């Protein structure tokens, strides 16, 4: 499993995202640049220039027509994937930490930071895919204000039925995207250990959370019940669920500022594979020499990519052994 | 709430409920009578009865004794005379201060005045208090014995069916005791938060687990680790058990301040640092002020006084626990007899310049010596023109039975072999110019006639570590090579193995077996049963290897070493990042390497290995502090029985192998069963959710594929449902076309 090293960023990666076909990979970093890559060979397709601050987040619409990015310059920008032109800029009062398209692509959510007297919010924007991509609504259709603990990450459940957000205090909430009401709030991670990532399983029935409390949890989107818990030995920054095979991939590592000697061995800068059902650790992939900030899996489950504090993106295409790996009980069930 | 020393109250110490106690007698006894003030008076009884004329003489004679503990005068002694002009045999004395009176009672009571008369000295107050009519019941009433309470068996852990060992684990704020289950996770016996404040320690035979608190030391034992004994030494910092678990030494840097109402400590202990306790009774035997070791040589130009080092263990025990000794560095050795803690022969042994001493760890019989003796070794440095000296002393005779003079000595370390058969004196010597150092090993053969000394001086470098094989006659030394410039790199060391030559029944001369150069090792850890030894690099960030050596390898032997009683073989090298401690279990089957947060905070935890270096489990543990195997008492089997067991080992091991296999099978089935269950639960959950999802889609009037990417959604194609489809495309290509006209 020889990785492809994508070195196009000058500062640490913040998020990476495959498109729905898996042929493209988008990466954003603190160096203000948004990159698009061919996932198969690691060639850079182009960049989207315009942000004035560190870019925190990226998401691509399900039909790969539009790209949304959120940045520390307090804007969400919408790009034409094909041409690289910026079609829309939304201004917010604080930095945007997370953007996510709804499963049908008709809506976009943006999580804003709590700062300078402004509460953290989750804004929902309607997205239009007509002839003229610039014709977008200027105001959010809905703004959810997080008064208690700010949301750090958010995403859409199956059918876009709920907005699910992870908070700074280690809790997860479920919101109704029509009314903006909080349906539920569950403290699933240790109190005050920030939830650093939420990613949904392909069917969006469940999602995985990564937290600074060194664990990741698989939750039901419907009722926020904890289905599985994956325990690691390092603070986690990201977690992802693999399609095709039942694995989850966790990434993290001691933050550089917390480590006295930043040797790679001490930092635990490895991607960890856990079995989704049995919660066992099955393997690790080394390579980064800084903490892993973001992981995304190819939609077909044939590859995954990780972006690190070290400024590199590593794309790994799985080899045969990965697909052959099976627990005895799984094999038994497959035979039935 | 787990029982811990913190939560103990005074009531726990007294065990009774307060309401049930009738205090009236105590109140009467301790009532303060302000007007009296008779604290300075004592009453002396048992004096000779003399005529009035000689009274003056007697008083003068008496005064000599009385003034030895305080000050009083002739006027203050009142000796009444009866009608027959004879004294009554008692006297009243007034001292200047009440303290003097107390001292007089303490020191003069029961002291003989002459051959016939023994003084009985009491406080006047006490006579008043107890002597009054009705205060003391005239008739003797035997105390009612407390009803017998069954106590937990203190050695219950020895009865484990599969002879597992226990260990104590101290991490974060919790201390737990576990059974070692080899590769399986250890089985918990007890786990208590805040069980100790400083550290935990097993007693040498494993009977008690000691926890250390500001209030004192608490011993725990029995199956449930219930409270056994308490030793309330305030702010205790260090503890040490005697080898047979009879006594406990505790030390605190703070001198003890005895407060009123303390039930155990008395004024004797006031201002002392060290207490020697009797574990059985829980009472202090004797207390001492600690001697500080001479501070290390003053660094020039520094104004700060160098820190004093505490001498620990302050008291060293003879192997039979009958004697305990303490050295006053450079001056003398005080040997105390147990259990009364009196100074042996009433005097300390003067040893000019004494630097260090060690008791023999076992009772040895020197050849030709019939009477019972314990041996100890000591050394003195060069003083003036006198050479440095190593001496061996026999106790209780306090005779120095063997000495050896040494020259150019920088430092000496004394290493007894575990059975007391040898003492290795490691002598660090400097050359005349004091520029280069070398080490001599002088080995005393204690059991042989006249205690001959053998010198092993093939070592040019300074030896930094030395260890005898337990119950054996081989040893390992680690010598320091030249330290490379730049302090970050560890100096290279060389590891040397020594074994005696094969020579009939007795061990021959010690010879070098092999030297392994270019190591970084600094620790030697012998298996408690001998034969296997781990040579490790500990307390280092850059190297952390552990070499597992076998000294009786059963394979072929190197020709050059065939005369030596050893066949050296490196079995395995294991790495454990940041290892700080290596501990063998007392059976020599398992060994644990651990990295304690007390030394550094990187990758703390402990790893379990077999004696041959196979790693059984790795246990990274946050804030890991201590791993301690529970020691075992000596075996009860006789030598013959042990031999028998060794002979039939194969048969026994067959039984155990089967047991192991069975256990593994069971465990495997259990794992498979749980996995099956978990998987079927997961599949069921998924199916249920999908059904719900389908229903919802219907309710929303969405097409079946509303969530699939074709409908402009970003849900990923669910590949496993469709399977990889093979698209076959037939392309026809015309390669050549010719036209022929027929006919």
């Amino acid at each position: 499993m020889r990785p492809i090293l994508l070195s196009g960023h000058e500062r640490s990666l913040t998020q990476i995202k495959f498109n729905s076909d898996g042929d493209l990979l988008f990466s954003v970093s603190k160096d203000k640049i948004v990159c698009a890559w061919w996932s198969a060979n690691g060639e850079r397709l182009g960049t989207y220039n315009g942000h004035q601050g560190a870019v925190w987040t990226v998401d691509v619409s399900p039909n790969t027509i539009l790209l949304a990015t959120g940045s520390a310059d307090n804007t969400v920008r919408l790009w034409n994937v094909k041409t690289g032109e910026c079609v829309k800029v939304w201004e917010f009062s604080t930095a945007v930490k997370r953007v996510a398209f709804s499963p049908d692509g008709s809506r976009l959510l943006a999580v804003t930071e709590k700062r300078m007297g402004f509460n953290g919010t989750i804004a929902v924007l309607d997205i239009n895919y007509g002839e003229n991509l610039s014709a977008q609504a200027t105001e959010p259709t809905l703004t959810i204000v997080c008064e208690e603990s700010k949301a750090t990450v958010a995403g859409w459940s199956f059918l876009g039925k709920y907005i699910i957000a992870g908070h700074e205090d280690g809790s997860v909430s479920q919101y109704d995207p029509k009314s903006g009401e909080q349906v539920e709030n569950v403290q699933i991670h240790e109190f005050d250990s920030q939830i650093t990532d939420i990613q949904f399983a392909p069917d969006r029935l469940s999602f995985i959370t990564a937290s600074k409390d060194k664990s990741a949890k698989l939750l039901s989107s419907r009722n926020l019940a904890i289905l599985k818990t994956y325990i690691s030995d390092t603070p986690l920054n990201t977690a992802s669920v693999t399609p095709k095979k039942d694995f989850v991939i966790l990434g993290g590592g001691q933050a550089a500022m917390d480590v006295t000697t930043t040797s790679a061995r001490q930092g635990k800068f490895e991607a960890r594979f856990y079995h989704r059902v049995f919660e066992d650790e099955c393997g690790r992939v080394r390579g980064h020499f800084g903490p892993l900030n973001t992981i995304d899996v190819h939609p077909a489950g044939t590859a995954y990519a990780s972006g690190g504090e070290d400024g590199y993106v590593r794309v790994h295409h799985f080899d045969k052994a990965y697909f052959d790996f099976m627990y005895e009980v799984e094999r038994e069930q497959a035979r039935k | 709430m787990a029982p811990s020393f913190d939560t103990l109250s005074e009531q726990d110490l007294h065990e009774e409920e307060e309401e049930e106690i009738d205090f009236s007698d105590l109140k009467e006894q301790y009532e303060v009578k302000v007007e009296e003030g008779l604290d300075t008076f004592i009453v002396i009884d048992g004096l000779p009865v003399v005529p009035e004329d000689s009274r003056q003489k007697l008083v003068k004679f008496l005064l000599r004794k009385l003034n030895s503990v305080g000050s009083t005068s002739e006027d203050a002694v009142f000796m009444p005379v009866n009608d027959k002009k004879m004294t009554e045999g008692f006297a009243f004395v007034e001292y200047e201060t009440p303290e003097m009176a107390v001292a007089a009672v303490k020191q003069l009571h029961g002291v003989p005045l002459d051959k016939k008369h023994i003084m009985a000295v009491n406080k006047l107050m006490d006579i008043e208090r107890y002597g009054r009519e009705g205060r003391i019941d005239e008739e003797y009433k035997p105390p009612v014995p407390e009803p017998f309470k069954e106590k937990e068996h203190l050695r219950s852990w020895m009865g484990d069916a599969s002879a597992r060992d226990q260990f104590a684990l101290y991490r974060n704020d919790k201390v737990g005791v576990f059974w070692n289950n080899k590769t399986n996770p250890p089985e918990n016996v007890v786990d208590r938060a805040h069980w100790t404040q400083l550290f935990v320690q097993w007693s040498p035979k494993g009977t008690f687990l000691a926890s250390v608190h500001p209030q004192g030391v608490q011993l725990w034992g029995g199956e449930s680790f219930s409270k056994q004994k308490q030793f309330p030494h305030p702010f205790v910092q260090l503890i040490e058990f005697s080898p047979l678990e009879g006594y406990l030494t505790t030390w605190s840097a703070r001198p003890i301040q005895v407060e009123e109402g303390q039930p155990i400590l008395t004024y004797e202990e006031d201002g002392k640092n060290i207490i020697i306790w009797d574990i059985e009774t829980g009472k202090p035997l004797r207390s001492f002020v600690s001697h500080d070791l001479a501070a290390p040589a003053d660094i020039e130009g520094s104004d700060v006084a160098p820190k004093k080092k505490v001498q620990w263990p302050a008291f060293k025990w003879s192997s039979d626990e009958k004697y305990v000794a303490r050295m006053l560095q450079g001056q003398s050795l005080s040997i105390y007899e147990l259990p009364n803690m009196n100074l042996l022969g009433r005097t300390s042994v003067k040893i000019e310049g004494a630097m260090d001493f060690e008791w023999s760890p076992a009772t040895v019989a020197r050849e030709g010596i019939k009477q019972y003796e314990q041996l100890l070794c000591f050394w003195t440095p060069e003083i003036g023109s006198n050479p440095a000296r190593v001496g061996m002393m026999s106790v209780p005779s306090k005779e120095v039975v063997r000495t050896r003079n040494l020259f150019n000595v920088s430092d000496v370390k004394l290493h007894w072999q575990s059975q007391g058969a040898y003492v290795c004196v490691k002598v660090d010597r400097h050359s005349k110019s004091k520029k280069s150092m070398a080490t001599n090993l002088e080995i005393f053969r204690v059991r042989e006639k006249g205690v001959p000394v053998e010198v092993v001086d093939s070592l040019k470098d300074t030896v930094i570590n030395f260890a005898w094989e337990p119950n054996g006659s081989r040893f390992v030394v680690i010598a320091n090579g030249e330290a490379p410039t730049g302090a970050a790199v560890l100096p290279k060391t060389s590891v040397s193995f020594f074994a005696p030559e094969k020579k009939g029944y007795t061990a021959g001369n010690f010879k070098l077996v092999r030297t392994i150069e270019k190591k970084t090792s600094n620790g030697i850890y012998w298996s408690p049963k001998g034969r296997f030894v781990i040579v490790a690099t500990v307390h280092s960030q850059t190297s952390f290897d552990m070499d597992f050596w076998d000294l009786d390898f059963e394979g072929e032997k190197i020709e050059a070493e065939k005369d030596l009683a050893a066949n050296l073989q490196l079995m395995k090298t294991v790495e454990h990042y940041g290892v700080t401690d290596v501990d063998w279990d007392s059976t020599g089957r398992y060994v644990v390497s651990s990295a304690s947060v007390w030394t550094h905070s990187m990758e703390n935890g402990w790893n379990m290995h077999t004696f041959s270096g196979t790693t059984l489990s790795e246990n990274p543990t946050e804030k890991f502090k201590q791993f301690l195997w529970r020691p075992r008492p000596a075996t009860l089997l006789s030598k013959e029985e042990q031999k028998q067991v060794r002979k039939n080992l194969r048969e026994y091991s067959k039984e155990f192998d089967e047991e192991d296999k069975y256990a593994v099978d069971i465990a495997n089935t259990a794992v498979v069963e749980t996995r099956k269950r978990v998987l079927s639960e997961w599949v069921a959950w998924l199916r249920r959710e999908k059904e719900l999802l389908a229903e919802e889609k219907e309710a929303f009037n969405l097409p079946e594929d509303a969530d699939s990417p074709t409908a402009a959604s970003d849900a990923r194609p669910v590949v496993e449902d469709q399977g990889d489809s093979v698209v076959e495309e037939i392309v026809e290509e015309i390669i050549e076309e010719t036209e022929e006209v027929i006919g």
Side-chain angles (χ1 to χ4, degrees), chain A residues 62 103-105 158-159 161 203-206 214 218 220 222 227-228 244 261 265-266 276-278 280 296-297 299 327 329 332-333, chain B residues 577 602-603 622 672 675-676 678-679 682-683 685-686 689-690 692-693 696-697 700 702 707 711-717 719-720 724:
Chain A
D104 60 0
F158 54 92
L159 306 175
K161 192 176 176 191
D203 55 18
R204 288 189 184 257
L205 290 171
S206 57
K214 306 186 178 180
L218 193 73
S220 157
R222 189 176 299 280
L227 303 173
K228 302 285 168 194
K244 189 148 180 165
T261 55
R265 108 166 252 114
Q266 190 53 39
R276 170 144 65 132
V277 181
F278 302 131
D280 296 337
D296 197 28
V297 186
Y327 275 76
V329 285
E332 221 167 84
Q333 197 165 45
Chain B
Y577 178 76
M602 309 242 260
E603 292 190 27
E622 227 166 285
V672 169
R675 283 208 180 128
K676 263 189 194 155
V678 167
L679 187 63
W682 171 257
V683 170
W685 179 83
L686 213 56
E689 284 288 315
K690 282 203 169 133
L692 278 173
L693 183 64
E696 267 172 66
K697 273 182 189 165
F700 278 110
L702 288 167
D707 230 9
S713 93
D714 71 345
R716 282 106 186 225
V719 181
E720 61 239 276
D724 290 325

Side-chain angles (χ1 to χ4, degrees), chain B residues 418 467-472 474 476 524-535 547-552 571 582-592 609-612 629:
Chain B
S418 70
W468 282 104
E469 178 183 18
N471 309 327
R474 298 174 285 204
V476 179
I524 307 167
Y525 304 93
W526 280 96
S527 157
K529 299 279 180 210
R531 178 168 172 180
F532 304 105
V533 63
I534 296 173
V535 181
D547 293 336
F548 288 70
W549 292 91
D550 182 357
L551 270 83
D552 288 322
M571 294 187 290
V582 176
D583 295 276
W584 285 88
D585 82 333
S586 54
T587 60
R589 293 179 292 178
Y590 305 103
V591 62
V592 161
H609 317 275
T610 63
F611 68 93
S612 58
W629 287 103

